[in-house]
Amino acid sequence: MSQNLVIVESPAKAKTINKYLGTGFDVRASMGHVCDLPASKLNVDIENDFKPTYVVISKKKKLLSELKSEAKDKDTIYIATDPDREGEAIGWHLASHLGKNKEVKRVVFHEITKKAILEAFDNPAEININLVNAQQARRILDRIVGYNLSPLLWKKITRGLSAGRVQSVAVKLIVDREREIQAF
């Protein structure tokens, strides 16, 4: 039985990394985010430092339960999600659900080669809370802007449009241009 659980984002990566690490490691895939802000309401407490309320994504409940069960018997959990804001946030959520009373380490690699993988596992770190906070800030801003602006788009243009990041920037550019025209 292996003593370590490694969690990556994709099943293909899991298979390859499992070959490189060999016995002593079980490598599993989270297949992306396991937690998010529920869509039913804003779920950002604007009055309390913009505190988000995350829930486990319904399609990921079974997977998370399986990972929890597997983590029970492990000494160490290695978070090996992608080395970006999203990957760090995914790892942070996984650690918060799986890492109670466990040693949780963060491994970061930028290529899937045996050398890079083994080097990353020789030099584990902590989850980078600054990257987590950057992802959360982006997600919270998306929610605040999108949640308030999307209904306006539904009324004015067509139902189902989303005013997320890209759309918000486009709307801002249009509003700024319109103000320039009116000022002229």
Side-chain angles (χ1 to χ4, degrees):
M1 179 193 264
S2 66
Q3 308 95 322
N4 305 294
L5 176 62
V6 180
I7 303 174
V8 297
E9 287 183 55
S10 96
K13 279 184 192 174
K15 191 175 181 182
T16 303
I17 292 168
N18 203 35
K19 282 189 242 176
Y20 294 151
L21 294 175
T23 60
F25 293 88
D26 283 332
V27 185
R28 300 290 180 254
S30 72
M31 294 178 278
H33 285 278
V34 293
C35 295
D36 197 7
L37 299 170
S40 59
K41 55 184 181 173
L42 186 60
N43 289 298
V44 175
D45 188 349
I46 295 172
E47 304 298 322
N48 188 18
D49 293 329
F50 297 91
K51 186 179 188 301
T53 302
Y54 292 106
V55 296
V56 175
I57 298 168
S58 59
K59 289 190 255 180
K60 298 294 180 89
K61 286 181 180 178
K62 182 180 178 203
L63 172 70
L64 192 57
S65 178
E66 291 168 0
L67 290 172
K68 278 183 186 179
S69 178
E70 191 160 342
K72 255 192 294 189
D73 301 332
K74 306 299 186 225
D75 297 327
T76 306
I77 299 169
Y78 289 92
I79 303 295
T81 50
D82 292 352
D84 57 13
R85 291 182 313 220
E86 296 296 323
E88 210 70 21
I90 292 166
W92 180 67
H93 282 125
L94 287 165
S96 71
H97 284 275
L98 307 176
K100 293 173 176 67
N101 304 318
K102 297 282 179 186
E103 184 174 16
V104 176
K105 296 180 180 182
R106 176 74 165 114
V107 289
V108 176
F109 43 86
H110 298 278
E111 58 189 49
I112 312 259
T113 63
K114 187 172 185 175
K115 181 181 181 235
I117 301 300
L118 296 178
E119 188 175 302
F121 277 83
D122 284 341
N123 300 293
E126 300 290 319
I127 289 177
N128 183 336
I129 200 65
N130 290 329
L131 286 177
V132 172
N133 288 338
Q135 189 277 341
Q136 283 193 101
R138 184 207 52 81
R139 183 69 182 99
I140 289 167
L141 185 58
D142 280 357
R143 176 54 62 93
I144 291 169
V145 172
Y147 198 81
N148 292 315
L149 195 54
S150 291
L152 178 66
L153 293 176
W154 301 342
K155 284 182 194 170
K156 300 291 183 187
I157 301 172
T158 188
R159 188 111 181 106
L161 289 178
S162 170
R165 283 169 286 183
V166 175
Q167 296 91 337
S168 300
V169 172
V171 170
K172 182 185 180 332
L173 292 171
I174 291 167
V175 168
D176 287 349
R177 183 68 179 138
E178 183 62 28
R179 286 183 179 150
E180 288 174 11
I181 291 168
Q182 289 175 352
F184 181 74

